[in-house]
Amino acid sequence: MAGLSLFDIAGRAMGALLVRLNTTASNLANAGAVAGSREAAFRPLKPVFETLYEGASGRATVGVLGVVKARAEPGRRHEPGHPLAGPDGYVHLAAVDPHAELVEMVETARQYQNNIEVLETAKALTLETLRLGR
């Protein structure tokens, strides 16, 4: 990883934020899902990030290690008439807190927008520097 520029750093951050936004959207889409067993119930997805350092300059950026299922336990609701209900009459609910996921989505969107502003400012300064050099 040689010569990380501001554009590289912001671009990688935006890529990581897209992964975070996509996992949040998936969690929200499955927030109301029910299953017939605890094992089959949806568990929220969480991205795992790592810090990547450039040795020479001390600059750092972000990398995505992967996406994992959270350890949150699904809830239960007694609905004996539901087609997925077990012999005890319970269905298992997705372990997703839609309020927390919405907060996560807003936060991620704001961070993404901040990176766009960083790139726009860097571009404007670069163009202005080139204009002054003429």
Side-chain angles (χ1 to χ4, degrees):
M1 187 172 32
L4 279 177
S5 71
L6 174 67
F7 297 101
D8 295 327
I9 294 169
R12 289 178 190 214
M14 290 171 74
L17 288 168
L18 278 177
V19 171
R20 185 176 171 198
L21 193 59
N22 285 334
T23 56
T24 303
S26 176
N27 293 342
L28 280 171
N30 287 289
V34 296
S37 70
R38 186 177 155 276
E39 294 76 26
F42 181 82
R43 286 174 174 75
L45 302 174
K46 299 295 177 189
V48 179
F49 302 110
E50 68 176 331
T51 304
L52 303 172
Y53 295 99
E54 180 187 46
S57 69
R59 293 180 183 153
T61 187
V62 65
V64 179
L65 286 176
V67 177
V68 298
K69 287 185 178 182
R71 295 183 183 163
E73 284 299 315
R76 284 184 358 150
R77 184 172 56 217
H78 192 253
E79 284 190 39
H82 195 283
L84 292 176
D88 58 357
Y90 283 94
V91 292
H92 297 268
L93 309 172
V96 176
D97 178 358
H99 302 292
E101 295 297 332
L102 284 172
V103 169
E104 180 90 5
M105 185 174 276
V106 169
E107 180 182 319
T108 304
R110 286 183 179 161
Q111 290 175 359
Y112 193 87
Q113 182 62 38
N114 289 342
N115 276 285
I116 290 173
E117 290 178 20
V118 165
L119 289 173
E120 287 175 349
T121 301
K123 178 183 170 187
L125 290 172
T126 301
L127 292 174
E128 184 63 21
T129 302
L130 290 172
R131 189 188 66 76
L132 290 174
R134 291 183 186 175

